[in-house]
């Protein structure tokens, strides 16, 4: 069970408000997984950024509930970046993003002009790795540095003849935007994942990460531990926090499979600690835990593994002390992958594919507040 702090402080998340933003036809109301959120402490503005199907970046003021900017990126030419994936805005005139080239990070200005291209292709150990593109991964920015997970290299086990991911390596790259130098943070995959005789799939070694002050907070889908790394002091911390809903036989370490179908069934039938969100307004950390599901067996559609998993949310303070965990959200009305934290609380999308009340004309979020 999770490690609780000495004060035994318990908090729970309760829906207290909602947000609806009208959108056009270039935005799908479902699956806004590459969106990101910014709260400007100087102006007080809270902006939700949504990529569109036409390589646009739309900006919405969530307090006004309306669009405030439309920025289109070129796919080809001197300012071309292909189809962009992960993105973040440093300030009003500096945007960092990853396009079709999984070895490069681009720095763009507010007119979508390319200011710089940073390539890790010929950078030591990174030359055999690439930027990891996946919806729940975050392109983070702190102290003029970009932080992101790098895909592990694929090696050959000479004894078994099977290929495996090399997880005896560091996880996060750090790009200094002033010098253009890539380096790896001194953070490695958990030891139990680094055995070359075991094959860990991307569902389980993928991280979820966010920043809370100077601390990089991160979780591995296949590990019940929550981790932090202080970017200033180098201090590391790890706490074990097994979900209270884990049943015997539905942990994260059962992974015997030989086919893609087997891989997906393992992911569906076991627990995954898939994402973390930092709450700087309340000094809290929220970790989303995806639980066992048999939905794919009922439908015969293995895609249901990815979108129908029930989930709960663990709550920690800024020092990684466990505070509480919600019950499992059994109704498939929330899309927890599309979530962010604002001044009002934790916003979670209502636009789940199984929600019969989806309105394609709106992005809809429920706002959760902390209650003791």
């Amino acid at each position: 069970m999770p490690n609780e702090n000495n004060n035994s402080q318990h908090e729970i998340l309760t829906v207290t408000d909602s947000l609806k933003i009208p959108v056009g036809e270039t935005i799908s109301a479902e699956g806004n997984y590459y969106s990101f959120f910014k709260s400007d402490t100087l102006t007080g503005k809270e902006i939700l950024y949504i990529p569109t199907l036409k390589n646009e970046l739309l900006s919405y003021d969530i307090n006004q509930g309306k669009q405030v900017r439309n920025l289109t990126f070129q796919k080809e030419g001197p300012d071309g970046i292909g189809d962009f994936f992960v993105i973040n805005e440093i300030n009003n005139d500096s945007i960092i993003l990853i396009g079709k080239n999984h070895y490069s990070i681009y720095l763009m200005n507010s007119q979508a002009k390319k200011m710089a291209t940073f390539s890790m292709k010929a950078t030591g150990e990174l030359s055999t790795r690439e930027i990891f593109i996946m919806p729940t991964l975050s392109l983070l920015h702190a102290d003029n540095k970009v932080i992101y997970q790098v895909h592990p290299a694929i090696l050959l086990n000479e004894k078994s003849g099977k290929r495996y991911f090399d997880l005896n390596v560091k996880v996060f790259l750090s790009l200094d935007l002033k010098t253009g130098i890539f380096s790896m943070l001194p953070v490695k995959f958990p030891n139990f994942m680094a055995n070359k005789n075991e094959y860990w799939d991307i569902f389980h070694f993928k991280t979820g990460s966010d920043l809370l002050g100077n601390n990089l907070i991160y979780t591995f889908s296949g590990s019940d531990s929550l981790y932090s790394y202080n970017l200033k002091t180098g201090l590391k911390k790890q706490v074990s926090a097994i979900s209270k809903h884990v049943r015997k036989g539905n942990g994260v370490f059962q992974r015997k499979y030989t086919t893609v179908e087997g891989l997906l069934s393992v992911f569906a039938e076991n627990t995954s600690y898939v994402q973390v969100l930092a709450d700087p307004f309340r000094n809290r950390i929220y970790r989303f835990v995806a639980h066992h599901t048999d939905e794919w067996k009922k439908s015969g559609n293995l895609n249901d593994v990815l979108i129908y998993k029930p989930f709960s949310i663990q709550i920690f303070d800024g020092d990684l002390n466990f505070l509480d965990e919600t019950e499992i959200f059994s109704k498939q009305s929330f899309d927890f992958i599309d979530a962010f934290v604002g001044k009002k609380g934790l916003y979670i999308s209502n636009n789940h594919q199984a929600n019969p009340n989806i309105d394609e004309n709106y992005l809809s979020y429920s706002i959760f507040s902390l209650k003791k």
Side-chain angles (χ1 to χ4, degrees):
M1 296 299 292
N3 293 334
E4 299 184 11
N5 60 5
N6 294 329
N7 296 326
S8 296
Q9 181 180 359
H10 295 280
E11 297 179 350
I12 200 65
L13 288 162
T14 304
V15 176
T16 55
D17 205 347
S18 62
L19 169 69
K20 291 188 73 173
I21 300 176
V23 295
E25 61 182 13
T26 60
I27 290 183
S28 170
E30 301 174 14
N32 291 292
Y33 303 148
Y34 294 110
S35 62
F36 70 97
F37 174 79
K38 282 288 184 182
S39 181
D40 192 324
T41 56
L42 296 178
T43 65
K45 292 183 178 180
E46 294 187 293
I47 306 296
L48 179 63
Y49 298 85
I50 306 288
T52 79
L53 305 175
K54 294 184 177 181
N55 238 37
E56 303 164 311
L57 181 66
L58 306 186
S59 305
Y60 292 87
D61 186 318
I62 68 168
N63 295 315
Q64 298 180 15
K66 66 179 184 180
Q67 182 179 327
V68 293
R69 190 175 72 172
N70 181 339
L71 188 61
T72 301
F73 294 92
Q74 300 300 312
K75 293 188 178 183
E76 306 294 340
D79 295 311
I81 50 85
D83 294 305
F84 69 81
F85 293 94
V86 189
I87 192 166
N88 199 339
E89 181 173 80
I90 300 173
N91 54 49
N92 289 334
D93 199 39
S94 297
I95 298 169
I96 49 176
L97 60 84
I98 299 169
K100 66 179 180 180
N101 185 339
H102 293 186
Y103 293 94
S104 296
I105 293 176
Y106 302 103
L107 179 63
M108 316 292 287
N109 65 17
S110 58
Q111 284 74 49
K113 301 295 182 182
K114 193 181 296 180
M115 300 168 64
T117 300
F118 304 97
S119 176
M120 67 181 200
K121 185 65 175 177
T123 308
E125 65 175 295
L126 294 178
S127 62
T128 60
R129 303 172 70 176
E130 64 180 37
I131 296 169
F132 197 177
I133 302 295
M134 207 167 182
T136 55
L137 295 179
S138 302
L139 186 63
L140 304 174
H141 174 262
D143 195 25
N144 215 45
K145 292 182 173 61
V146 178
I147 299 169
Y148 196 74
Q149 181 178 355
V150 182
H151 205 297
I154 300 176
L155 303 180
L156 178 67
N157 184 321
E158 295 180 357
K159 184 176 181 180
S160 67
K162 296 181 179 179
R163 295 190 178 276
Y164 66 98
F165 290 110
D166 181 13
L167 300 184
N168 188 26
V169 291
K170 297 172 183 174
V171 183
F172 296 99
L173 68 79
S174 174
L175 166 64
D176 190 316
L177 292 174
K178 288 185 177 179
T179 64
I181 296 176
F182 286 95
S183 59
M184 296 297 292
L185 297 180
V187 171
K188 300 184 72 172
F189 288 97
N191 288 336
F192 68 85
M193 289 186 178
N195 183 351
K196 66 180 182 180
N197 293 314
E198 298 283 358
Y199 182 87
W200 285 88
D201 59 85
I202 60 174
F203 292 122
H204 287 89
F205 67 67
K206 179 197 70 64
T207 63
S209 61
D210 206 351
L211 292 169
L212 185 60
N214 293 320
N215 286 316
L216 172 65
I217 310 296
Y218 58 101
T219 186
F220 298 94
S221 292
S223 171
D224 56 61
S225 290
L226 183 66
Y227 304 80
S228 69
Y229 170 74
N230 191 290
L231 300 172
K232 295 291 187 181
T233 66
L235 181 66
K236 300 176 184 178
K237 191 171 184 178
Q238 173 186 352
V239 296
S240 177
I242 300 173
S243 170
K244 69 179 184 180
H245 302 296
V246 170
R247 298 179 297 175
K248 185 176 182 181
N250 295 127
V252 296
F253 308 121
Q254 299 180 13
R255 54 191 186 282
K256 294 180 180 179
Y257 54 86
T258 57
T259 64
V260 173
E261 288 78 8
L263 182 158
L264 292 174
S265 67
V266 165
F267 177 73
E269 295 171 15
N270 291 281
T271 302
S272 298
Y273 299 83
V274 293
Q275 179 63 307
V276 291
L277 288 177
D279 185 345
F281 306 101
R282 287 155 284 269
N283 192 37
R284 293 292 183 263
I285 300 162
Y286 310 120
R287 183 164 70 161
F288 293 83
V289 186
H291 295 284
H292 167 274
T293 179
D294 290 323
E295 190 67 33
W296 66 280
K297 292 181 179 179
K298 300 174 186 177
S299 67
N301 184 356
L302 287 172
N303 289 330
D304 288 348
V305 171
L306 304 178
I307 63 174
Y308 281 96
K309 293 199 77 173
F311 71 98
S312 61
I313 305 172
Q314 293 181 319
I315 306 166
F316 303 81
D317 66 18
D319 294 320
L320 305 194
N321 293 308
F322 174 81
L323 301 178
D324 217 324
E325 182 174 2
T326 68
E327 295 304 311
I328 294 178
F329 294 94
S330 57
K331 293 182 179 179
Q332 295 302 329
S333 57
F334 297 117
D335 185 350
F336 69 89
I337 299 178
D338 183 10
F340 61 91
V341 174
K343 292 178 182 177
K344 286 187 176 182
L346 172 62
Y347 292 68
I348 303 180
S349 172
N350 299 310
N351 292 53
H352 191 283
Q353 292 186 26
N355 186 347
N357 298 316
I358 285 181
D359 186 339
E360 285 290 340
N361 297 312
Y362 292 90
L363 296 180
S364 174
Y365 294 87
S366 290
I367 305 174
F368 291 76
S369 298
L370 282 173
K371 303 291 183 180
K372 293 185 178 180

